[in-house]
Structure formats: C-alpha cells, structure tokens
Amino acid sequence: MSITNRIGFYQNRQQLESCLQAPQFAESWQEKLRLADALLQDTIFYDQEWDMEREFRPVTFEDGRFDWNHEPFGDPEWTYMLNRHRFFVLLMEVYLYTGDRRYVDKLLALWEDWIQRETLIEDHLWTGWRTIETGIRLKNWVKTLNLLELCPEIELSEALTQQIATSMNQQTDYLCQEKLINMSMISNWKVLEQNGVWLACALYPEWIENVEEKLAIAENVLTVSAELQVVPDGFHWEQSFMYHHEVWIGLAEMQQIAQRNQLPVPPAITDALVRMTSASVAMTRPDRSQSPYGDSDVEDMRPILQWMALVTGDPQANWVAGRELFLSTLFDYGESAIDRLPQLDALRPLALDQNFEDSGLLFMRDSWDKEASWTLIKNGSQGGGHGHSDNLHFEVFHRESLLCDNGRFTYVEGSPDRKAFKNASAHNTILVDGEEFTKQSGSWGYEGTAPALPNYLRSKNGYAYAECSHTGYFRYGKNVLLTRKILHIKPGIWIVADEAITNEDHEYTQFFNFPKAGRLTATEDHGVYEGDESRLHIYPLSGQKLTVTNSEYSPHYNERLTSEKIQLTTQGKGRSVMITVLALEQTAITRVTVSSSGKELPQEDATALKLENQQGSYTILFNHFEDATIMSRKADKLDGQFVYGRVVVVENQQVTLLRN
C-alpha cells in the first residue's frame, strides 16, 4: 500500500519491529494485547494511557455489530471515545507485534462499518460527528494508514480505499466550515480538530479536495490557538494538566510531521511547544507522575516528557523522563526515536521552586530526586469548564501523594458527582461560612469566579515561602480578603498561615484531602495520615475544631475510591488567623514570645513558633497584619534575637528573611 510520498509517523518497518520485542516493553504489550483481544470479541475497554475519558467497565456488542451511537452508562463521553477510533491504531500496533491477521481483519471490518453507517446527519452531530471527535478520529486514521503503509502484505480493497478517502475529505470539509472555524478559538477543541485536518491534508493530499486551502486554514487556526491558549508562563489557560498535554500533542504532531517534510512551521507553534514543555517539567511529581489537577487523571509523565524532548530538544525534559525508550514514545514519535533519543542532551533541572505568574501555579521541591518532597499551590484564573474551584489549594507529595487533589470522576451534566469533585471542599483550601467562593452552573459553567491577586514566592537557604490571596467572597456580599501563606522548610515541614482580613464575623473551614481511606487517626490537636511509604502529621494551632470525614478520590475518569479528609473549623471575629503545621515527622511545636519596642505582640498580629524534629530545629516568625504607625514597622525580638521582616526563619542563629 503506497498512497503518499510524504514522510509520516513511521517509515521503517524493520527498524520499528526490531525494537518491539525488547524486554522493557513486555508489560506494555500485555496491556495492548488485553485490549486488542477484547476487541476481537466485540468488547471495548477505554483503558489506554492518556485516554481522555477512561472507562474500566467492558461493553460488549452481543450481535458483533457495533452501535456507533451507543451510550451504555448514561455518559455521552463513552460514545465520544468510541468514535475517536484510537483502537484502530491499537489493532495495527498489535498486528505489527504479533503478525496475527485477525487484528487487521477486525480493523478493516470496523472501519468499513463506521463509514457506511455513521453518516453525517443532524442526529449524529453530538455523537460520532461532534467536531472534537472528528478531528481526533482523522488523526487516528492517519496514524493507522501510516502503519498500514509499512505492511505491503495487507492490501486494502479499492472500494474501501475509496471510502476512506471520501470520508476523510468529508470530515475535513466539515471541520473547515467558516461557522465552525470562528467558534471557540480559545478552546482546546480547536487544536484537536485542526490537528486532524492538518495531518490529513499534509500526508494524504491526493484524497482531499481544496487541500491547499484546508491546509492553510488548519495551520492558521493552530497558530492562533498556540498564541491565544498558551499563557506566557507556558501553561494552557484551561487549568487542567490533561488538556495542557492534549494541546501540546496536537501542536507537536503538526510540528514533527512538518519538519520531516520540510514544510514551514509557524514560530508561534515552536515557541508554545518549548514553553509548554518547561511547564510540564515543573509540574511533574517526583515519581514522574501527573497530579489529577483540574479535569485530569494520574498519568505516567515519562513517555510524554520523552516525546517532548524529541520534539523540542529540551534536555531537562529528557533528564526527567529517563533514558529508557518507552513503547508509547516509539509509536507516538516514530521509529526514528530509536536513533535520535541517545543523541539528545540530558540535563538535571536547576530550578527547585517556581512561580508561574500567568497561570497562578507555584511549585516547590527540595530536589529532583525521586525521594524528594513536592508541593503544588494554585491561586489563579478559573480556567473555564475544566478548571475547578481550587484557589488557595495546595498538594503535598513525598514518595506518594499525601495531600491530594481529589480528581474529576465524571463530566455528566447534572450529576451531583460532577459538582462534588469540582467544589472547593474536594481541594485543600478554605471556605467562609461553608459557602463556595466559585459557584458552579452546570458541568461547565460558573456564576462567577474568585479573582486572584498576584502571587509571591521566594526561595533561600533551603526554605521556600509562598503568599496567595483571592477576593472571591466579595461577589457574594462577604467582605473577606483571604490570604494563604505557606512556608516550606525543606524537605518535610510546611507552616500554613491562613489569614482573613475583614471587619465581620465568620466561620472558616480548612480542608485537607487524602487519597486513601482508613489511614487517618486524629485527636483534638493532632491528625496523622499513614501512607504506604510516608506519613503526614497535621497540627492545628489556632483552636480549630478537627473533624475527620469521608471523601472520594478519583485518580482516573470513571474511577472513584473511598478516601478521607480533615476539616478544621474556627470562628473568627474581625481579622482572623489560622495556623496549621504539616510535617513528615512527629514535631514538637512551642509558642515563642515575639516583641517589638519592648512590647509583646499578640498572637493575632504575629505568630512565632519553635519547631523541632529529626529534620532540625527552627524558629519561625509570621507578622500577619501591619498597622501603619508614625514610625512604621520596627525590628522584632524573637527568642532573644533581633529580626526584621514579615516572614523569618532562624536556624542555628542564622536568620533568613523570606518576606520583607
């Protein structure tokens, strides 16, 4: 089969097959075989890595005939996944591995069936012909055709070849309608739609009418999307790590195929890919996984970071991914990865603490080793429908997820689960009077958002300090400015100071979510979460009432696990401060007197603590509220030592100023 003279995803079957039998891929092949063998029995699981909406429950078409509009669980996402045809690529991959013709026969039968039965009619516009599905399907058809081109022993009938060509032309016609092009340019949909159009036009131009016009449309949309959707700090604006990476993939596939065929690549796309790669490196947890932040799943980041390194040449992405080639990298980038990967530089990242000012994401870590601690803090824009109510949220990871984001679970419109997983209480943040600061309107909308003030981050001498505020409650008639201050004494102590500036009386609730159930023990003033490899101690120091309640954790779409959370509740009159210490080890905490001009400062104005555990001994100071005086602020006397600043750490008499 030879349809095009363009260079696609794969070119050399011998080189590709020589790598497929490597022992390192054995486990990955078992997963692919499980899914492909189920397809031979007309059974579908959506359980491949980076499946956007996973479904672990099998669905079998008993009569052997697929219903392309089937919706088995009351969730249209199942139907959307069915019509993306990612399993077409899977069947070809497994054929190359096994040489078993049954997988190809199944592929061709399904392909012909879809073309003949899933026609472009009004009833199908929100099932098989939703625009995002059409774009993703085109991409998967292109990759399937590229693999078929490696297999001359497989001859497509002239009739089926013509049907595929006609359908690809129809799909590109559909996606290039002016009314669709001008809609939702800010959405990740635009990248996923036009990525499919561009690949189809670039690699199979013989099949596409008005191909140059469509190619230009797709390139323009991808360029504008890269400029609009990727904020200057490199994160995708929608506040979801999963869709950040889906957009990266859509842009990267265009760039890598363009470069292989000496086609021009718009600088905006190259620039966006570089910045997005740096952002992806920063958000990767020490075990090289992705947090289920926003509408995201837990995923292994190493294959995509490896792909990022291959496309952008980023040596830090290459170092974090590791040098061992992944099977998914091989099929996503092509067999040229075998030769190219060893030639790439690998460089341990230097930055440990990073403030991504445009997205409102901050990251802290004590090293880039897999045993390091890692902290994520979010205080930024809402990010549209995929963003959650999570300003002032933070996560802690050490060898495993300890303080977690509870994930997404479902997209079903009107589902109470959708609302519950997006609510603030599913995140490690603060509520005033039990009222949400970002109120939802259906699965994708909001009545209003919580505007975030600019975030502050400083790192020095093994400490990191972040300060974040939002004004979300003013919209609902509560004159409360919430500020969260987090001092990380690396690797294993976090002091959290939650401050409310108001002249009103309110109840405040702090949430701390954990991924597993049955692991929390608690007294009035001390909670302990026992992970598999680490534990986290929680010490409320401002008289908060500690309550353990049930919760749910969703590491993947359609997966829910029973979990637990700690709620800390307190009443505040006027300005209020809530101090909480988290530590990987049991910690002795004592109050320390702090004075200014010979007068002891009240606890509501300043918090001074001495913390001692096996990690070390530290004295810390938070100046919470500074009232202007004619002489301005003065030096404080802390544990017999003069210091100056809003946030200070003293260790072995060495003073570190973290907030002036």
Side-chain angles (χ1 to χ4, degrees):
M1 174 183 176
S2 180
I3 300 171
T4 177
N5 58 3
R6 294 286 175 90
I7 302 172
F9 287 90
Y10 326 99
Q11 302 93 51
N12 188 319
R13 179 176 181 176
Q14 184 177 4
Q15 187 180 29
L16 184 60
E17 287 187 331
S18 69
C19 197
L20 299 184
Q21 304 297 331
Q24 73 207 57
F25 299 146
E27 186 175 343
S28 296
W29 277 121
Q30 288 306 308
E31 281 300 297
K32 287 182 180 292
L33 284 164
R34 176 178 67 86
L35 299 173
D37 288 344
L39 283 165
L40 296 182
Q41 304 301 317
D42 302 309
T43 297
I44 291 183
F45 299 85
Y46 301 134
D47 191 16
Q48 296 191 71
E49 56 186 348
W50 294 99
D51 268 342
M52 273 194 281
E53 286 82 40
R54 287 193 181 184
E55 177 52 77
F56 301 93
R57 293 170 291 184
V59 172
T60 300
F61 293 101
E62 298 294 346
D63 60 0
R65 190 176 190 187
F66 279 41
D67 177 357
W68 299 102
N69 291 278
H70 189 44
E71 189 181 303
F73 304 115
D75 185 354
E77 297 295 336
W78 193 96
T79 316
Y80 304 153
M81 288 285 290
L82 179 68
N83 286 277
R84 292 171 186 168
H85 294 177
R86 189 180 179 193
F87 49 87
F88 281 19
V89 185
L90 170 72
L91 288 166
M92 274 307 302
E93 290 172 347
V94 173
Y95 169 73
L96 281 173
Y97 179 64
T98 63
D100 189 334
R101 178 68 192 229
R102 291 180 302 157
Y103 301 110
V104 175
D105 292 342
K106 189 65 178 179
L107 161 68
L108 300 182
L110 291 173
W111 209 335
E112 185 171 22
D113 185 69
W114 188 90
I115 291 171
Q116 292 180 355
R117 296 175 55 228
E118 185 56 21
T119 52
L120 178 52
I121 60 174
E122 188 70 27
D123 287 348
H124 295 173
L125 291 181
W126 286 93
T127 53
W129 283 84
R130 202 173 66 147
T131 55
I132 183 175
E133 273 63 67
T134 305
I136 295 171
R137 180 170 58 246
L138 276 170
K139 185 263 290 285
N140 286 326
W141 282 21
V142 166
K143 294 186 78 171
T144 304
L145 288 165
N146 284 182
L147 289 170
L148 279 165
E149 287 182 56
L150 298 182
C151 306
E153 71 277 13
I154 301 171
E155 293 187 15
L156 295 188
S157 69
E158 184 176 341
L160 180 56
T161 301
Q162 185 58 50
Q163 289 176 56
I164 294 171
T166 300
S167 182
M168 287 175 68
N169 184 65
Q170 182 186 32
Q171 292 176 69
T172 55
D173 277 346
Y174 173 55
L175 291 179
C176 288
Q177 297 175 81
E178 186 175 357
K179 66 178 182 180
L180 292 179
I181 291 298
N182 294 328
M183 289 173 56
S184 305
M185 191 64 78
I186 197 70
S187 170
N188 69 81
W189 281 37
K190 272 292 167 281
V191 174
L192 300 179
E193 291 163 6
Q194 294 304 315
N195 159 265
V197 172
W198 192 93
L199 290 172
C201 291
L203 293 178
Y204 296 95
E206 303 93 333
W207 291 356
I208 310 298
E209 296 175 4
N210 303 315
V211 66
E212 294 299 330
E213 179 185 349
K214 293 175 183 175
L215 199 64
I217 288 172
E219 181 179 309
N220 180 65
V221 171
L222 291 170
T223 302
V224 173
S225 295
E227 293 171 336
L228 290 177
Q229 296 183 25
V230 182
V231 300
D233 66 24
F235 275 102
H236 190 264
W237 78 277
E238 290 189 74
Q239 296 289 8
S240 160
F241 292 159
M242 170 159 282
Y243 292 94
H244 170 90
H245 289 117
E246 289 296 334
V247 167
W248 185 92
I249 290 167
L251 298 176
E253 287 172 334
M254 182 261 190
Q255 172 160 305
Q256 72 185 45
I257 297 301
Q259 289 176 335
R260 288 173 186 177
N261 292 280
Q262 288 76 55
L263 298 174
V265 180
I269 290 178
T270 300
D271 176 64
L273 289 169
V274 169
R275 288 184 287 114
M276 294 180 82
T277 296
S278 295
S280 293
V281 170
M283 54 77 66
T284 300
R285 302 193 293 195
D287 70 340
R288 309 309 188 240
S289 69
Q290 171 181 273
S291 161
Y293 166 78
D295 278 349
S296 300
D297 291 347
V298 175
E299 296 283 0
D300 186 347
M301 283 292 295
R302 293 173 299 167
I304 198 166
L305 286 171
Q306 198 167 75
W307 190 3
M308 288 176 163
L310 286 161
V311 172
T312 69
D314 189 309
Q316 296 184 109
N318 195 27
W319 186 90
V320 177
R323 304 296 278 182
E324 183 177 298
L325 180 66
F326 291 91
L327 184 61
S328 56
T329 306
L330 194 62
F331 280 118
D332 287 330
Y333 185 77
E335 74 283 350
S336 55
I338 300 168
D339 295 328
R340 178 165 162 72
L341 191 64
Q343 299 172 1
L344 296 178
D345 291 335
L347 178 66
R348 176 192 284 263
L350 298 177
L352 298 177
D353 308 308
Q354 296 176 266
N355 180 6
F356 289 81
E357 296 178 355
D358 303 289
S359 58
L361 289 163
L362 303 91
F363 302 93
M364 303 170 175
R365 64 178 83 223
D366 62 294
S367 80
W368 283 91
D369 296 334
K370 294 184 178 181
E371 298 297 307
S373 61
W374 172 93
T375 307
L376 173 155
I377 305 170
K378 154 68 186 297
N379 189 56
S381 62
Q382 182 59 42
H386 286 300
H388 289 195
S389 179
D390 57 3
N391 273 350
L392 306 186
H393 163 78
F394 78 111
E395 300 173 37
V396 171
F397 189 101
H398 180 254
R399 299 179 182 169
E400 61 188 304
S401 179
L402 295 173
L403 203 59
C404 70
D405 186 311
N406 281 348
R408 55 177 176 158
F409 180 62
T410 188
Y411 288 164
V412 172
E413 184 67 52
S415 167
D417 292 321
R418 175 63 168 160
K419 184 175 182 179
F421 277 92
K422 292 185 77 173
N423 272 345
S425 58
H427 301 84
N428 308 309
T429 186
I430 320 157
L431 288 186
V432 177
D433 299 329
E435 185 175 358
E436 293 285 321
F437 50 78
T438 301
K439 296 183 180 180
Q440 298 178 46
S441 175
S443 289
W444 304 104
Y446 296 92
E447 295 178 8
T449 60
L453 301 182
N455 300 321
Y456 174 90
L457 176 69
R458 174 172 284 182
S459 304
K460 192 174 181 181
N461 297 338
Y463 316 116
Y465 171 74
E467 188 173 303
C468 309
S469 305
H470 77 74
T471 60
Y473 282 105
F474 286 87
R475 179 185 299 275
Y476 306 113
K478 298 179 188 295
N479 298 317
V480 182
L481 173 66
L482 282 178
T483 298
R484 169 160 277 180
K485 302 175 179 179
I486 298 179
L487 170 60
H488 182 21
I489 302 177
K490 302 178 182 182
I493 300 174
W494 296 259
I495 302 98
V496 181
D498 290 328
E499 301 173 357
I501 298 179
T502 182
N503 58 1
E504 302 167 349
D505 298 348
H506 294 287
E507 180 183 81
Y508 302 98
T509 306
Q510 303 158 283
F511 294 94
F512 300 88
N513 290 272
F514 305 92
K516 295 183 179 180
R519 305 296 186 92
L520 274 174
T521 56
T523 62
E524 291 183 357
D525 56 3
H526 182 201
V528 183
Y529 174 76
E530 293 280 353
D532 294 332
E533 299 184 59
S534 300
R535 63 168 57 99
L536 190 65
H537 296 262
I538 302 95
Y539 300 93
L541 302 181
S542 300
Q544 305 103 306
K545 179 183 177 182
L546 189 156
T547 307
V548 175
T549 61
N550 293 329
S551 187
E552 291 186 309
Y553 172 64
S554 176
H556 302 101
Y557 192 88
N558 280 323
E559 182 180 17
R560 68 198 307 172
L561 306 174
T562 302
S563 63
E564 290 176 311
K565 71 176 72 171
I566 283 177
Q567 293 179 201
L568 301 180
T569 306
T570 188
Q571 300 290 330
K573 295 184 177 181
R575 301 183 311 186
S576 298
V577 178
M578 294 140 279
I579 303 293
T580 311
V581 172
L582 293 82
L584 298 177
E585 301 173 357
Q586 189 165 348
T587 302
I589 305 170
T590 54
R591 293 272 184 180
V592 177
T593 299
V594 58
S595 60
S596 181
S597 299
K599 295 182 179 180
E600 183 177 338
L601 297 178
Q603 291 184 14
E604 59 266 25
D605 288 345
T607 294
L609 302 172
K610 187 169 186 177
L611 301 100
E612 296 177 285
N613 62 21
Q614 293 183 25
Q615 180 179 307
S617 177
Y618 313 90
T619 302
I620 64 101
L621 169 66
F622 280 86
N623 271 301
H624 299 297
F625 307 111
E626 300 176 63
D627 292 326
T629 67
I630 194 168
M631 295 295 293
S632 190
R633 193 174 68 211
K634 301 178 176 65
D636 297 321
K637 195 170 187 180
L638 176 66
D639 204 16
Q641 187 169 0
F642 281 103
V643 298
Y644 178 80
R646 298 185 204 176
V647 179
V648 174
V649 180
V650 181
E651 180 183 6
N652 297 326
Q653 297 188 319
Q654 179 182 358
V655 177
T656 300
L657 173 66
L658 291 164
R659 184 66 154 131
N660 194 18

